[in-house]
Structure formats: structure tokens, C-alpha cells
Amino acid sequence: QNPTVTLCSLLYLFSVMDNGKDLHMNYSSIENVAVDKTSLEATSSRKVYKGNWTIWFILGLVSSGFFFAPFRFNTPLFNAWNRQHFGPFMWIHFIGSCTISFVCLWNVFHTPSHGPMYKIIHRWLGRVGLIASLIGATFGLVTVWYERFTTYGNAIGLSVLAFYQSQYTIQSYKTIRVAIKQRDLNGKFPTEEQKQEVADLIEEHKKAVLGLWVCCLAPAWFRIPQLFGYSADSPLQFIALLFCTPFVLGAYFATKRGSFW
């Protein structure tokens, strides 16, 4: 039996059961960033596993977990290590990329609307993650063009990915800062039009974060051909780019609909 299928099945069943009762999931990203005290108290006891379970979250969890796992079954990672031991630039890139990847996973799974504890965690992990993302992307460029240069095709492809990662990182920061500033300017009694303006800004933040997330996942997908015996610089790695847009769209609409798919 395929272990990935088994894992997905178990996680899905786990996500919809709690002592025989269905869980009520809140799939919003940060729409309720300004929730009132009553709402916060009502959600303060949410269990850690009562997050935004979607097939896209599970695929991201499996991809990141496999890609960064320091175990022998992780063929691409150990092939890279055996080919050339990691230098300082690679280590900084690796740590930064690992950090932002798992920050994205957590912040997609638990959003501020899940309660005061999750709101604080989301905020601080987001701050750490954005810094880690820019560090990871910057040192990734140094790595592919200098410390571990292989081919121009590989370096250009990963540089494009680093550019988009940086762009989405900056965009995600700007949109949430503008949204919070606008919310504060609106005061305690905003009009419906003002509420919608903030909601639209938060939607833009959500899209930017999902774009950043897929930029973190794509390098893991680039390594899939290596699992089938292809070399690390095989052009087949760029097939992964075909999955990026469908993944972002799928994750966005699944969270928007509040559905597993």
C-alpha cells in the first residue's frame, strides 16, 4: 500500500473526528484579525490539531517533511551532500529555507481567527519567517551561482524562483501592514465599505503568502526526478513549475470554501 495515500487518509480522518463529533473548522486566513473579546474567549481552547486541513496542506507537509528530513531515505539531500559538502552559504540558505517553509505550514494551518494564542504565534512566526525567507533567497542565489554552481540552466531557474520568493515575501509584509493601518484608521465603528476595503487587503495578503509558500515547496518538487534515478541537473526538474499555479489556486479556493479539496 502506498504510504503517502495511507498518511493522507489517516490525517483526513483525524481532522474530522473528535470523540465522535465533527470539528467545526475555520478556514479563514486572517479575516478576523480584529476579533472581539467574546470571539477570542470562545476560540481560546481550540486544540492544536483543529487546523485548516486541506489536501494542499497535506501535500505541502509531506513535501517539506521529506525534502528537509536528514535521513538516508532522502536521496536528493544525501546525493547533494556527497557530491559536495555544504559550505557556509549553503548552510545559511538551507536553514533560512527550512525556517520559512515550516512557518508557512504552521501559519496556513492555524490563522489568527483560531484564537488569541494562535494569533500571537501567527504574528511572531510571520515576522521570523519573512526575515528567514529573504535570507534564504539571498544566500540561495550566492549558492547556485558561486558555491555550488552546476549549470547555467539550473542557476537561472532557481534564480527566477528566488526572485518570486522575495517578491511574495515583500508583498505579504506590505499588504498586512497596510490592512492593519487601515483597520486602525477606521476606528471602532467602521462602515461596511471600510470593512470591505480591509477584507480586500487581507485577501491580497493571503494570496501573497500562498505564493511564497509554493516558492518554498518548488525546490522539493524539483528533486522528484532524482528519486527515479535522474541526475540533479536533469531538465526534468523544471516540470515541477507546472504544478505551482494549480497548487496556489487549489489551496486558495479550498481555504476560501472551507473544504478539504
Side-chain angles (χ1 to χ4, degrees):
Q1 188 176 11
N2 190 316
T4 302
V5 174
T6 303
L7 175 62
C8 291
S9 300
L10 289 174
L11 288 175
Y12 177 60
L13 290 173
F14 188 64
S15 71
V16 297
M17 296 182 64
D18 182 24
N19 297 325
K21 298 180 180 180
D22 289 342
L23 300 178
H24 176 69
M25 298 297 178
N26 187 333
Y27 285 82
S28 61
S29 177
I30 53 171
E31 287 84 347
N32 298 330
V33 68
V35 291
D36 57 35
K37 184 177 179 181
T38 303
S39 299
L40 291 177
E41 290 173 351
T43 57
S44 61
S45 60
R46 178 187 287 265
K47 294 181 174 63
V48 173
Y49 61 82
K50 293 184 180 181
N52 297 331
W53 288 103
T54 68
I55 185 62
W56 312 103
F57 169 77
I58 293 173
L59 288 174
L61 179 63
V62 172
S63 297
S64 294
F66 181 86
F67 181 57
F68 290 107
F71 302 113
R72 284 294 172 185
F73 66 78
N74 190 348
T75 306
L77 179 62
F78 278 89
N79 283 347
W81 174 264
N82 292 331
R83 187 169 63 252
Q84 179 184 341
H85 284 192
F86 293 178
F89 296 118
M90 178 61 186
W91 272 117
I92 295 173
H93 163 67
F94 186 81
I95 293 171
S97 299
C98 183
T99 300
I100 182 56
S101 294
F102 287 99
V103 165
C104 284
L105 275 169
W106 175 271
N107 279 359
V108 167
F109 189 61
H110 276 301
T111 54
S113 58
H114 289 181
M117 178 183 71
Y118 297 111
K119 182 178 179 180
I120 294 171
I121 294 174
H122 187 100
R123 181 189 303 145
W124 281 101
L125 282 183
R127 292 168 179 170
V128 172
L130 293 181
I131 295 172
S133 176
L134 292 176
I135 291 175
T138 301
F139 281 88
L141 288 171
V142 178
T143 300
V144 298
W145 284 103
Y146 170 67
E147 193 174 70
R148 297 178 66 87
F149 179 82
T150 53
T151 65
Y152 283 104
N154 185 62
I156 291 172
L158 292 174
S159 297
V160 170
L161 196 61
F163 168 78
Y164 277 108
Q165 179 178 334
S166 301
Q167 181 184 32
Y168 282 126
T169 301
I170 295 170
Q171 186 180 353
S172 64
Y173 173 77
K174 284 184 175 180
T175 50
I176 193 57
R177 296 311 305 170
V178 172
I180 293 173
K181 182 179 180 180
Q182 187 60 49
R183 183 202 66 196
D184 293 340
L185 289 174
N186 291 343
K188 295 182 179 179
F189 306 103
T191 64
E192 290 302 318
E193 183 178 351
Q194 290 174 325
K195 289 180 181 179
Q196 186 58 50
E197 185 177 357
V198 173
D200 290 342
L201 287 168
I202 290 173
E203 282 298 306
E204 291 304 311
H205 171 73
K206 184 195 299 185
K207 292 175 183 176
V209 170
L210 289 175
L212 169 58
W213 186 30
V214 83
C215 286
C216 297
L217 293 173
W221 300 339
F222 282 175
R223 272 63 178 183
I224 291 176
Q226 294 182 47
L227 299 177
F228 299 94
Y230 292 94
S231 64
D233 57 355
S234 170
L236 290 175
Q237 65 182 306
F238 296 112
I239 294 177
L241 295 175
L242 299 176
F243 299 101
C244 293
T245 299
F247 187 95
V248 170
L249 292 175
Y252 175 75
F253 286 110
T255 55
K256 195 174 183 67
R257 291 192 302 265
S259 67
F260 182 74
W261 301 99

